[in-house]
Amino acid sequence: MKSIYINQVGFTKNSPKKAVLNFPAERFEVRTTGGECVFSGNVKEFGKDKISGEETFVADFSEFQKEGKFTVNAGDASSLSFDIKEDIYDGLMKDICKCFYYLRCGNALTKEYAGDYYHEPCHMGLATVYGTDEKRDVTGGWHDAGDYGRYSTAGSVAVAHILYGVRFFKGLLDIDFNIPKENCEKGQYPDILSEVKVELDFLKKMQREDGAVYHKVTTFNHAPFIMPEEDKNELFLFAVSSLATADVAAVFALAYTIYKEYDKAYADSLLEAAKRAYEWLLANPKPLLFYNPEGSNTGQYDEAEDYSNRYWAAASLYEATGEKSYYHDAVDQKRKAGDYGEKHAGFGFQGDYLTCLGWAEVAGLGSLSILLAGDGSDLEKELRTHYVSEADRLVNVASENGFGIPMLAEDYIWGSNFEVEKYMMILAVTDKFVQHKDEYRKVICAGLDYLLGCNSVDTSYVTGYGEKAYKNPHLRPTAVDGIDDPWPGLVSGGPNRGLQDEKASELPKDTPPMKCYLDDVACYSLNEITIYWNSPLVFVLAYFGA
Ligand code: G3I
Ligand code: 9MR
Ligand code: ZN
């Protein structure tokens, strides 16, 4: 079928603008939705595109800068519609942020703010420390994803994307996304900090008195597809891990640097907890990894080592306190993480290990702290070169496909949309804080175009955004709440060559990476949502000033 792929949300006036055709044409037109041609140009042949499996042709209309609603047309084919408008991403940003509110667990939603998406309080009971009779209160926080688990490493990383966003792009503090702010006196926090505090307060409860942090709280097995308040099975706090303890130390220290401007006592409590977690790490130098107990099948979030986590903790505490001992630890752990990264390149993580920002490989978050410390240290100098070389690699990769995105076939793993987002974050940081290059911005824009519909499944991966936005996330409340549309602003995990669930495995084995996608509620390996796939977009849209 002849298709013209486009960012279905749209562009600001001066952003680079392009559509991708999967058929040859000499000329293309930009038309108003009334059919009037307002711009025309030559189509450029790109050729065979390895990730989309299509012959691609590019229609670049960056020069066109009029506001309005348009389509791109060539021959008798038309793209879906899009807008050109200065504040084009503002609504999107608010909805992406509001998703965290909808994902709140406990007694937290109100009808006034959640509207039709309100649900009764959930997961309010005490949790049993697995293997003991001890019970603890760990209510609150955000559900992780399509399931109702709450996981310390995943939660820390989602919070980190947002809070580093706040540190780098102050505009995030001005976003109003209509949430109740009962967790701060007189509503004194900006919305984003109030929402993040929901998760921070939960993570505080996940910490044991001795500083260690439980890896997760979930039922023994995933709940069936029911509303969260119907999920009444016993909650378990599974073992503490050095992974969770380090990530929580890191994110609390980071949070301290921001919340101290608003509430000194609260910020101090975070720093105290971060130090307590760190002391535990020092007293327990061997990795304490995590694997599910036999028979349990909720998210495992297993990692092969904890160097990147310890590096992030040391780097973040150094940035928060300026204490040299943390700096020395950061140098030490960075070396271990870097060595590991070099030995395992291409296995278990994508891209430069020291700029990775995902739930497992958090070294890049540590590197962000070192950049923020900005003390001209040897470590900072070294990391700046890592950002530039990774950003340049990504520009190079982007030149190898018609979509201009920094994705290789091997990046199409579970949560490939996160890989796109991660690369956009790296490019954004490099562009703004290390070394500006126009190409960096161009690749970030291409990444956003891709997520919003300029891809070979012609689908916007954000609910509610685009004429053909996906509608069937693997997300329990959405699947069973009887409301047609999911709440807007949810990022899908996206195509995954691994086709790791039953429904996905029905796709032909030779499906090109970009097309390994189905908008099907059963496809948890390629159409689930998670907090840490929404949070990077908060960071990236903040870079755009949304
Ligand atoms: O990194 C390797 C890559 O080197 C290799 O080439 C590729 C081949 O398949 O695999 C890659 O590893 C994948 C890994 O994610 C990368 O992060 C694994 O195959 C894949 O199974 C693994 O998926 C994780 C999934 O849980 C299953 O463990 C996802 O990252 C992770 O986001 C997801 O998290 C789940 C939670 O467990 C439960 N809650 C929902 C959440 C989202 O689906
Ligand atoms: O719904 C679960 C999803 O959130 C997880 O990412 C996924 C992998 O842990 O598991 C899903 O639950 C499935 C379970 O693992 C196997 N039986 C079917 C469940 C989904 O309906
Ligand atoms: Zn809940």
Side-chain angles (χ1 to χ4, degrees):
M1 193 183 115
K2 279 187 182 176
S3 296
I4 303 181
Y5 307 122
I6 190 89
N7 171 341
Q8 299 166 27
V9 173
F11 312 89
T12 63
K13 282 199 270 186
N14 65 4
S15 37
K17 305 174 197 71
K18 65 157 195 316
V20 177
L21 287 60
N22 69 352
F23 60 94
E26 299 246 312
R27 303 276 297 166
F28 72 94
E29 291 185 348
V30 177
R31 294 186 189 162
T32 64
T33 42
E36 186 198 344
C37 171
V38 285
F39 182 87
S40 64
N42 289 326
V43 173
K44 266 205 204 123
E45 176 168 2
F46 178 85
K48 181 84 184 156
D49 182 297
K50 283 194 200 126
I51 51 177
S52 72
E54 310 238 35
E55 291 291 334
T56 49
F57 304 82
V58 181
D60 191 313
F61 56 104
S62 304
E63 265 172 63
F64 180 68
Q65 302 205 333
K66 292 221 173 63
E67 296 208 346
K69 198 174 203 55
F70 308 99
T71 57
V72 170
N73 298 67
D76 54 4
S78 172
S79 75
L80 296 169
S81 67
F82 61 90
D83 289 281
I84 299 180
K85 179 159 101 165
E86 261 337 88
D87 60 356
I88 185 81
Y89 304 127
D90 289 10
L92 175 63
M93 176 66 124
K94 284 176 197 269
D95 281 337
I96 289 190
C97 291
K98 181 92 182 230
C99 286
F100 295 96
Y101 170 69
Y102 292 124
L103 285 167
R104 284 190 196 181
C105 181
N107 183 9
L109 296 195
T110 72
K111 288 188 180 148
E112 185 191 345
Y113 291 93
D116 289 347
Y117 298 118
Y118 172 80
H119 65 74
E120 296 295 320
C122 58
H123 305 109
M124 295 294 289
L126 294 176
T128 307
V129 177
Y130 186 70
T132 75
D133 294 329
E134 191 189 344
K135 308 269 181 200
R136 297 178 76 105
D137 166 27
V138 286
T139 48
W142 302 317
H143 297 138
D144 180 56
D147 64 317
Y148 294 133
R150 286 168 292 148
Y151 307 85
S152 300
T153 54
S156 300
V157 167
V159 165
H161 294 147
I162 299 172
L163 293 186
Y164 282 111
V166 168
R167 289 294 303 276
F168 284 113
F169 312 107
K170 290 279 173 288
L172 254 177
L173 296 171
D174 301 328
I175 293 158
D176 176 356
F177 50 99
N178 194 31
I179 50 163
K181 299 202 281 185
E182 280 142 4
N183 61 1
C184 47
E185 248 179 76
K186 301 186 214 100
Q188 84 270 37
Y189 296 140
D191 283 10
I192 196 75
L193 297 187
S194 174
E195 192 51 53
V196 163
K197 185 170 183 285
V198 167
E199 184 71 1
L200 288 169
D201 288 347
F202 157 70
L203 290 171
K204 275 178 132 186
K205 296 181 186 173
M206 292 295 279
Q207 185 174 33
R208 237 169 36 183
E209 292 62 28
D210 67 352
V213 176
Y214 294 103
H215 196 73
K216 63 173 177 178
V217 55
T218 70
T219 47
F220 196 68
N221 286 311
H222 282 307
F225 269 54
I226 51 177
M227 288 300 283
E229 62 270 33
E230 290 161 4
D231 181 22
K232 299 276 194 209
N233 279 342
E234 184 170 11
L235 288 172
F236 291 103
L237 274 161
F238 290 95
V240 300
S241 67
S242 55
L243 309 163
T245 307
D247 287 7
V248 161
V251 83
F252 281 4
L254 169 66
Y256 161 79
T257 66
I258 295 170
Y259 286 81
K260 69 177 193 226
E261 309 290 333
Y262 299 87
D263 181 342
K264 184 76 172 57
Y266 180 63
D268 285 345
S269 76
L270 290 167
L271 187 59
E272 180 280 322
K275 288 182 173 171
R276 195 150 37 90
Y278 199 81
E279 288 305 313
W280 184 91
L281 290 171
L282 292 182
N284 295 271
K286 283 205 197 112
L288 186 56
L289 304 179
F290 182 84
Y291 301 98
N292 278 339
E294 183 83 34
S296 167
N297 86 341
T298 58
Q300 181 158 261
Y301 287 117
D302 51 310
E303 300 177 38
E305 40 72 37
D306 68 0
Y307 309 130
S308 73
N309 316 74
R310 286 176 190 261
Y311 163 49
W312 180 25
S316 181
L317 271 154
Y318 170 59
E319 200 265 324
T321 64
E323 281 170 33
K324 274 286 173 205
S325 65
Y326 294 124
Y327 175 79
H328 296 307
D329 288 357
V331 170
D332 212 35
Q333 295 297 341
K334 188 241 77 184
R335 185 179 38 75
K336 289 185 193 157
D339 288 352
Y340 177 87
E342 264 172 38
K343 265 201 212 113
H344 296 82
F347 181 75
F349 65 93
Q350 314 297 123
D352 182 335
Y353 195 75
L354 292 174
T355 59
C356 278
L357 308 162
W359 60 260
E361 283 79 30
V362 294
L365 297 170
S367 300
L368 292 182
S369 285
I370 299 296
L371 282 193
L372 283 170
D375 58 2
S377 63
D378 289 347
L379 184 55
E380 187 196 349
K381 284 187 202 129
E382 184 195 333
L383 291 169
R384 291 171 78 89
T385 66
H386 274 271
Y387 277 95
V388 173
S389 67
E390 179 67 354
D392 289 343
R393 180 187 75 84
L394 295 172
V395 169
N396 205 26
V397 170
S399 71
E400 291 168 13
N401 62 78
F403 295 80
I405 57 166
M407 293 289 281
L408 295 167
E410 49 267 41
D411 291 319
Y412 282 87
I413 55 177
W414 189 318
S416 69
N417 282 343
F418 170 74
E419 300 304 319
V420 180
E421 295 177 320
K422 173 180 82 182
Y423 295 142
M424 290 161 85
M425 284 177 73
I426 293 166
L427 287 159
V429 168
T430 312
D431 184 41
K432 270 254 154 124
F433 302 100
V434 185
Q435 178 186 324
H436 166 77
K437 277 193 196 160
D438 289 343
E439 291 103 307
Y440 295 161
R441 191 174 184 88
K442 200 170 163 202
V443 177
I444 302 169
C445 290
L448 193 60
D449 292 348
Y450 172 87
L451 293 173
L452 297 175
C454 192
N455 54 58
S456 66
V457 282
D458 206 19
T459 297
S460 163
Y461 289 117
V462 182
T463 52
Y465 281 83
E467 265 189 73
K468 210 184 135 206
Y470 84 106
K471 281 192 158 94
N472 304 294
H474 182 87
L475 170 59
R476 283 169 172 71
T478 294
V480 298
D481 63 6
I483 304 170
D484 274 354
D485 287 326
W487 60 78
L490 289 163
V491 178
S492 165
N496 169 13
R497 286 197 305 172
L499 304 172
Q500 286 155 289
D501 62 70
E502 217 177 295
K503 178 80 196 172
S505 70
E506 290 169 15
L507 280 172
K509 289 285 164 283
D510 57 353
T511 305
M514 206 189 280
K515 288 186 193 269
C516 288
Y517 176 74
L518 288 171
D519 179 14
D520 192 305
V521 65
C523 292
Y524 52 83
S525 79
L526 38 83
N527 207 31
E528 190 164 357
I529 63 104
T530 75
I531 50 176
Y532 54 86
W533 296 335
N534 258 51
S535 51
L537 217 44
V538 175
F539 187 101
V540 170
L541 292 177
Y543 160 87
F544 284 114

